[in-house]
Amino acid sequence: MNIDLELYKTFYVVAKHKHMTKASEELHISQPAISQSIKKLEDQLDGTLFLRSNKGMELTEEGKMFYEYVKGALELIDNAEKEFTSFKTLDKGEIKIGCSTTLTKLILMDSIEKFHQDYPNTNINITNELTSKLIEDLKLGKLDFVIFNESNIKESNVSLKKIKELKQGFIYNPIYFNDDVKSFKDLNNFPLILQRPESNSRKLLNHFALQNNVNLIPKIETVSQELVTEFTNIGLGIGFAIIDLAKRNFKNLKELEINKSIPKINIYLATNKNTLLTFASKKFIEYL
């Protein structure tokens, strides 16, 4: 059956008031138009919904049963519209973000604070994982967007947008080390603290080192840049990290002079081309 929702709305209002004049006032349509709608609906149902009298419009037994179902359906639709509006106005909602712990601190933290002040009822869920895993979750629709550093991603259904540049380089604690590094070859004369080979930061460093004909040999490999900065701070070696993060964590850490030759890293926002962003996610991206 082809359902004309307006016919059902008209029936509902007439049945609620049991009077054509009151129904006409609420619906802002003429009484003859209401009569035509009721007749059309009765013809579609092949039955009688109302008994018409001088007192008004009384429901038949079948009409009473039909009214209860229509009332429930229209109330459900009304609730759905209200719920949808609450998501649109961000009185409700959820944002699912994929990001490393480091970039959460450097890129997301300020935006999260400002967004939460404006939209405190929106839930923000952050997944910290390797970029490869986050991109897979993005493709599966488990995440709204992913923020990561550098990109060799060639996925056809993933859209990338560069949002920031960050400076990276070698750091040391002057209590334990001096800047005696004149070239990339000199780095292997010191205990190096690097992220694991599968991280984007390490891949970029290895690529740059090979361009300088050097294969860097770390003493310590960690899963996060946070640990790189912490181990560097206690004198375990010379670390490689994002400079803003290192100096935020430990103001006493210094940069090697060789950092001037190291390019900045690009920070990207990745979204799924096949999935529409939620109202909350669209708004949050404006804060980045």
Side-chain angles (χ1 to χ4, degrees):
M1 178 184 291
N2 293 323
I3 296 175
D4 186 339
L5 191 58
E6 289 303 317
L7 296 182
Y8 285 79
K9 286 182 178 179
T10 301
F11 162 77
Y12 168 74
V13 174
V14 173
K16 180 176 66 173
H17 291 296
K18 298 181 180 180
H19 201 282
M20 289 285 261
T21 302
K22 292 180 179 179
S24 176
E25 290 173 353
E26 179 174 332
L27 293 168
H28 303 291
I29 56 178
S30 67
Q31 292 187 35
I34 291 176
S35 296
Q36 290 176 9
S37 294
I38 296 299
K39 179 65 167 58
K40 185 176 181 180
L41 182 59
E42 288 179 328
D43 289 343
Q44 287 184 4
L45 296 171
D46 193 21
T48 303
L49 295 171
F50 289 101
L51 296 172
R52 295 157 178 82
S53 68
N54 292 331
K55 295 181 179 180
M57 306 283 286
E58 292 292 333
L59 287 166
T60 62
E61 287 303 311
E62 294 87 351
K64 291 177 182 178
M65 174 277 298
F66 192 67
Y67 172 74
E68 292 302 320
Y69 279 100
V70 171
K71 177 185 177 184
L74 291 179
E75 286 177 351
L76 191 63
I77 291 171
D78 183 58
N79 289 336
E81 288 179 346
K82 289 177 181 176
E83 190 77 359
F84 187 86
T85 300
S86 70
F87 277 89
K88 192 172 182 179
T89 57
L90 305 188
D91 290 326
K92 285 187 178 181
E94 182 181 29
I95 305 170
K96 295 174 289 184
I97 306 171
C99 190
S100 69
T101 304
T102 299
L103 293 182
T104 297
K105 281 189 174 183
L106 294 177
I107 305 296
L108 288 180
M109 199 64 75
D110 290 342
S111 298
I112 289 173
E113 181 182 7
K114 293 174 183 175
F115 185 87
H116 179 69
Q117 289 172 354
D118 293 340
Y119 305 103
N121 296 322
T122 299
N123 295 326
I124 301 176
N125 294 321
I126 301 175
T127 300
N128 299 132
E129 259 289 0
L130 290 173
T131 299
S132 56
K133 176 65 168 60
L134 294 177
I135 294 298
E136 284 303 312
D137 285 348
L138 177 68
K139 289 161 56 181
L140 292 172
K142 295 179 180 180
L143 297 171
D144 296 327
F145 58 87
V146 173
I147 294 174
F148 62 101
N149 60 300
E150 287 311 306
S151 175
N152 56 0
I153 294 174
K154 305 299 181 184
E155 303 287 349
S156 60
N157 58 339
V158 173
S159 176
L160 300 179
K161 180 181 180 181
K162 179 180 172 181
I163 60 173
K164 195 176 181 65
E165 288 183 346
L166 291 175
K167 185 181 180 182
Q168 61 182 349
F170 289 94
I171 50 173
Y172 67 98
N173 188 331
I175 296 175
Y176 304 102
F177 295 95
N178 296 314
D179 187 352
D180 297 322
V181 178
K182 305 303 179 186
S183 69
F184 257 73
K185 291 182 180 179
D186 292 339
L187 286 167
N188 280 329
N189 296 327
F190 298 87
L192 297 179
I193 306 170
L194 309 178
Q195 279 190 275
R196 291 178 180 174
E198 60 267 27
S199 73
N200 275 3
S201 180
R202 176 68 181 279
K203 288 177 182 177
L204 191 67
L205 173 61
N206 286 346
H207 176 73
F208 188 70
L210 289 175
Q211 287 181 328
N212 286 269
N213 300 313
V214 177
N215 178 33
L216 296 177
I217 303 171
K219 177 183 179 182
I220 299 175
E221 291 181 317
T222 76
V223 70
S224 72
Q225 294 208 17
E226 294 284 345
L227 288 176
V228 170
T229 62
E230 290 182 19
F231 288 163
T232 302
N233 186 59
I234 62 174
L236 298 186
I238 291 176
F240 185 81
I242 294 173
I243 302 301
D244 286 346
L245 176 72
K247 291 188 175 180
R248 176 181 291 192
N249 288 348
F250 304 102
K251 298 186 184 302
N252 59 306
L253 294 180
K254 303 292 184 181
E255 292 186 60
L256 292 182
E257 191 69 21
I258 199 175
N259 287 349
K260 292 180 179 179
S261 64
I262 299 175
K264 292 182 178 180
I265 55 172
N266 297 315
I267 307 301
Y268 290 91
L269 172 76
T271 55
N272 189 332
K273 292 181 181 179
N274 300 325
T275 305
L276 291 176
L277 287 171
T278 63
F279 293 120
S281 292
K282 285 181 182 178
K283 178 57 69 174
F284 184 86
I285 288 173
E286 294 177 13
Y287 281 66
L288 286 173

